[in-house]
Amino acid sequence: MPTGDLGVIIERATGTVQIVNTTTETTLAKIDQLGDLSHASIVYSRDERYAYVFGRDGGLTKVDLLKQEISNRVIQSGNSIGGAISQDGRYVAVSNYKPGGVKIFNSETLELVVDLPALGRDGQTSKTVGLVDAPGQKFVFSLFDSAEIWVVDLASGQPKVTKFYDVGSKPYDALISPNGRYYIAGLYGEDGMALLDLWYLDKGVKRILPDYGKGEQRLPVYKMPHLEGWAVAGNRAFVPAVGRHEVLVVDMNTWKQVGSIPVYGQPIFVMARPDGRHVWVNFAFPKNNTLQVIDTETLQVIHEKQPGKAVLHMEFNPRGEKVWASVRDENKVCIYDTSTFEQQKCLPADSPSGIFFTNRAHVIGL
């Protein structure tokens, strides 16, 4: 079975995942006993055979997509919030809330290789967030409680940790640019974002987008946007505004806002089709039944559809001819043609949330 055709859908309410084929648009298997998947994410081995599932209960599960079974599973903490896989595929790192810190495992055996308690400069243990992989055998993550960003270099096989302090109040999530150069953390405690240039660590962290954040918005924030949902098209980033019905346009050369696009609700994921021509947007409660499509040239909304209640996540086929959308409260995943916007079919799924295709194995930060 070709692994490049495969993907995994999280079924959050039942602790199960579906293995799907993206070419035939069919479900191949369902695997259970993966624990609490209420905020689960997935990374893939380099050969696309294994999915590493990070559960909210601290479970790290290695799923064999070809044998369609759990290969290995460890409970590595009390509460985890995502993970990453190293550039060479040798290490899997997990970000933890309780106890705070990052643990790094051998991807073959799931044996613990490095344990990094997140003890901040202020002496308190912090939740860790925004964990991503970076070129040069690095992992990067933020300390929510201690306002720090740590870079872990594993090129020598032994961890070398570089720490940056006072990066801004309560970094809550982060992303890495598609080329792996810029690490950007959102700040829950203040407006603005923290940017670290991984090419020039000696320059330290600088603040960008000083008006980005909750500020004095008139709308309640039902859900903070996922920063990994930023869309990049050319030299511009399309960013979900916090507490506003807008998608912001950012010039990535200057890291300044150059525009804003009115949208249906508070955006959560703002995702670019692989060719960068269109951006698809979903929204927070109570307007989470809708998808909108933005033309990246005209900066206009060109299409809108209502797949159903609680559209939580989207994933493009590797070359972008289709997009899959999870509709949690209607127990389905719907597939759309990205040229015609027509619905192709829907697959049944139990409270689906995240959708992860195996081409992510070859993408930095995913």
Side-chain angles (χ1 to χ4, degrees):
M1 181 189 303
T3 56
D5 276 347
L6 303 183
V8 173
I9 298 172
I10 298 292
E11 297 183 311
R12 58 187 292 159
T14 54
T16 56
V17 298
Q18 282 192 29
I19 300 174
V20 296
N21 185 303
T22 63
T23 298
T24 62
E25 298 175 352
T26 56
T27 298
L28 302 178
K30 182 178 287 196
I31 300 173
D32 59 9
Q33 300 184 14
L34 275 79
D36 184 352
L37 300 184
S38 59
H39 197 283
S41 61
I42 291 175
V43 297
Y44 289 100
S45 59
R46 285 165 61 96
D47 62 3
E48 304 177 344
R49 176 171 179 172
Y50 297 101
Y52 299 89
V53 184
F54 308 101
R56 194 61 186 261
D57 57 358
L60 168 59
T61 308
K62 183 177 180 180
V63 176
D64 188 327
L65 301 186
L66 297 186
K67 291 186 176 180
Q68 300 176 357
E69 64 185 22
I70 292 175
S71 172
N72 199 353
R73 175 173 166 83
V74 297
I75 301 296
Q76 54 84 43
S77 79
N79 189 337
S80 58
I81 196 67
I85 191 164
S86 63
Q87 186 176 32
D88 65 359
R90 293 173 57 195
Y91 305 108
V92 174
V94 189
S95 177
N96 294 311
Y97 270 10
K98 183 180 181 180
V102 167
K103 292 183 178 179
I104 302 174
F105 298 85
N106 180 300
S107 64
E108 289 290 329
T109 64
L110 297 192
E111 293 179 0
L112 182 65
V113 176
V114 178
D115 188 353
L116 293 172
L119 188 64
R121 185 171 61 171
D122 56 9
Q124 66 176 318
T125 299
S126 174
K127 301 180 183 71
T128 54
V129 296
L131 172 64
V132 299
D133 62 278
Q137 292 297 99
K138 295 182 178 69
F139 292 112
V140 190
F141 58 91
S142 298
L143 277 60
F144 177 83
D145 303 289
S146 301
E148 300 178 24
I149 294 175
W150 291 11
V151 179
V152 183
D153 188 333
L154 284 168
S156 69
Q158 297 297 318
K160 175 185 176 183
V161 182
T162 304
K163 302 178 181 180
F164 300 87
Y165 304 109
D166 302 320
V167 304
S169 178
K170 295 182 171 60
Y172 72 91
D173 195 10
L175 65 109
I176 191 168
S177 60
N179 64 359
R181 176 171 180 176
Y182 298 106
Y183 179 84
I184 302 169
L187 305 175
Y188 189 78
E190 62 182 86
D191 286 351
M193 307 187 82
L195 180 144
L196 179 63
D197 187 338
L198 298 175
W199 289 10
Y200 301 102
L201 292 180
D202 57 316
K203 293 183 178 180
V205 174
K206 72 175 185 178
R207 302 293 182 84
I208 61 171
L209 301 176
D211 298 322
Y212 181 86
K214 293 189 295 182
E216 298 179 358
Q217 84 278 355
R218 294 161 293 181
L219 299 171
V221 179
Y222 292 103
K223 183 176 176 63
M224 293 296 283
H226 286 277
L227 296 185
E228 287 189 2
W230 277 30
V232 174
N235 65 348
R236 296 183 300 183
F238 293 79
V239 181
V242 177
R244 287 181 285 171
H245 294 179
E246 294 179 332
V247 170
L248 309 181
V249 185
V250 176
D251 185 325
M252 294 180 66
N253 294 318
T254 63
W255 295 106
K256 293 182 179 179
Q257 182 181 335
V258 293
S260 64
I261 304 166
V263 290
Y264 175 72
Q266 296 180 40
I268 296 296
F269 284 103
V270 179
M271 301 184 69
R273 201 171 69 182
D275 63 358
R277 187 69 177 88
H278 293 156
V279 164
W280 288 59
V281 187
N282 72 333
F283 302 98
F285 176 87
K287 295 189 172 186
N288 59 4
N289 67 330
T290 296
L291 289 171
Q292 287 188 320
V293 183
I294 295 170
D295 185 296
T296 58
E297 185 175 38
T298 65
L299 305 184
Q300 300 292 317
V301 174
I302 60 170
H303 190 77
E304 178 178 303
K305 58 176 61 271
Q306 285 77 38
K309 296 179 181 179
V311 180
L312 295 191
H313 197 270
M314 298 169 287
E315 183 84 336
F316 289 96
N317 279 19
R319 297 200 181 193
E321 75 280 6
K322 301 285 181 65
V323 65
W324 297 43
S326 59
V327 189
R328 182 195 64 197
D329 292 358
E330 297 189 13
N331 297 307
K332 63 184 181 180
V333 172
C334 293
I335 305 168
Y336 298 94
D337 185 299
T338 57
S339 296
T340 65
F341 310 117
E342 293 180 357
Q343 180 177 295
Q344 303 294 293
K345 66 188 303 185
C346 293
L347 301 177
D350 294 326
S351 299
S353 54
I355 304 170
F356 305 89
F357 294 159
T358 54
N359 62 297
R360 285 172 170 255
H362 314 295
V363 180
I364 295 169
L366 296 179

